[in-house]
Amino acid sequence: MKLTEQWKEKWESQPGLMLITVVIWSIFIGLCIKAGALLFTSIYSLFKPTVAQDLFEGLNLYGLMNQEIWYYIGLVSLLIGIACLKAYMFYLMIRIFLTINLNHPFSKKVSDLISEIASVAIQTGILIIITTASLKWLIKRGFDIPSMGNFTGGAFEYLLLGALLYAIAQVFKKGVELQSENELTI
C-alpha cells in the first residue's frame, strides 16, 4: 500500500489521531529549528565571537566565551544536547501516532516506542540536571553567565514523564500479550 493511501485511510478512520500528529509535527519542527540554530550559531561564534552575544532567543554567552572558550564549548554542547533530545522525543511521538491503530492499539512496535520515549525523557532530565549543576559551578567561580531558565528548566518534569511513560510501556507490553492470547483463542 502506498504511503499516500495509508495517510488517506488513517485520516478517514482515525482523524483525531492524525490531527494530534500534525500538532506534534509542528512542535518537532520547532524543536529541530531551535537545535539547528543553536548548533549553527555556536559553531559560527567560534569564528566570529560577537555572535555569542545572541546565540538563540537572546542567549548571551559572550562573557563566558571571552573568559574561557572550553567552558563555553562545554556549556553550549550541553544545551544543544538538551535541544536534540527534546526534538528526538517528539520524533518518536510522531512514529507512535503514525503506527498506532485504534482497532488493535497494542503492538510490540508501539510498546517499544513508548519505552524509548521514556528512556529519552529520563536522559533529558538527567542532562538538564547536569547542565544546571554546571551553570552553578561556573557562577561560583565568577564566570559571566546569564539567566538560562528557558533552556535548563523542567528536569523534574522530564524525570517524572519518563517514569510515567515507563509504566505505560509496561501496560502496553501486557496489552500486547493479552491481545495475542485473545487472537489465538478466537
Side-chain angles (χ1 to χ4, degrees), residues 1 28 60 86 133 135 155 163 183:
M1 182 183 277
F28 170 68
N60 183 354
K86 288 178 181 179
L135 286 170
E183 289 172 358

Side-chain angles (χ1 to χ4, degrees), residues 75 78 82 125-141 145 152 155:
L75 182 59
L78 290 170
I82 291 168
I126 291 170
L127 194 57
I128 291 171
I129 290 169
I130 291 169
T131 304
T132 303
S134 299
L135 286 170
K136 288 178 183 176
W137 184 84
L138 288 169
I139 290 169
K140 261 187 182 177
R141 275 143 190 80
I145 306 289
T152 59

Side-chain angles (χ1 to χ4, degrees), residues 23-33 87-88 90-91 94:
V23 172
I24 293 172
W25 263 105
S26 63
I27 295 169
F28 170 68
I29 291 168
L31 289 170
C32 285
I33 290 169
Y88 183 59
F90 276 86
Y91 169 73
I94 291 167

Side-chain angles (χ1 to χ4, degrees), residues 12-175:
E12 290 170 357
S13 64
Q14 302 169 28
L17 285 181
M18 293 306 289
L19 188 60
I20 293 170
T21 305
V22 170
V23 172
I24 293 172
W25 263 105
S26 63
I27 295 169
F28 170 68
I29 291 168
L31 289 170
C32 285
I33 290 169
K34 181 178 181 176
L38 264 172
L39 179 64
F40 176 78
T41 56
S42 299
I43 292 171
Y44 188 50
S45 72
L46 297 175
F47 301 101
K48 186 174 181 183
T50 56
V51 173
Q53 293 175 342
D54 187 13
L55 288 173
F56 185 77
E57 293 180 349
L59 178 61
N60 183 354
L61 294 177
Y62 186 70
L64 178 62
M65 184 180 198
N66 283 333
Q67 289 174 300
E68 180 59 53
I69 188 77
W70 291 109
Y71 290 154
Y72 170 78
I73 291 171
L75 182 59
V76 168
S77 297
L78 290 170
L79 295 174
I80 291 169
I82 291 168
C84 289
L85 283 173
K86 288 178 181 179
Y88 183 59
M89 198 173 350
F90 276 86
Y91 169 73
L92 292 172
M93 285 186 218
I94 291 167
R95 289 188 50 202
I96 285 175
F97 279 92
L98 292 177
T99 303
I100 200 163
N101 180 351
L102 291 179
N103 296 328
H104 297 286
F106 299 105
S107 71
K108 175 140 177 50
K109 186 173 183 179
V110 171
S111 175
D112 291 344
L113 287 169
I114 293 172
S115 293
E116 191 170 352
I117 291 174
S119 173
V120 172
I122 291 170
Q123 291 170 22
T124 304
I126 291 170
L127 194 57
I128 291 171
I129 290 169
I130 291 169
T131 304
T132 303
S134 299
L135 286 170
K136 288 178 183 176
W137 184 84
L138 288 169
I139 290 169
K140 261 187 182 177
R141 275 143 190 80
F143 288 98
D144 184 20
I145 306 289
S147 173
M148 297 178 52
N150 60 339
F151 288 94
T152 59
F156 177 73
E157 289 84 353
Y158 280 99
L159 293 173
L160 186 62
L161 175 68
L164 179 64
L165 287 173
Y166 179 74
I168 291 171
Q170 297 307 309
V171 170
F172 259 76
K173 284 180 184 175
K174 185 65 175 174

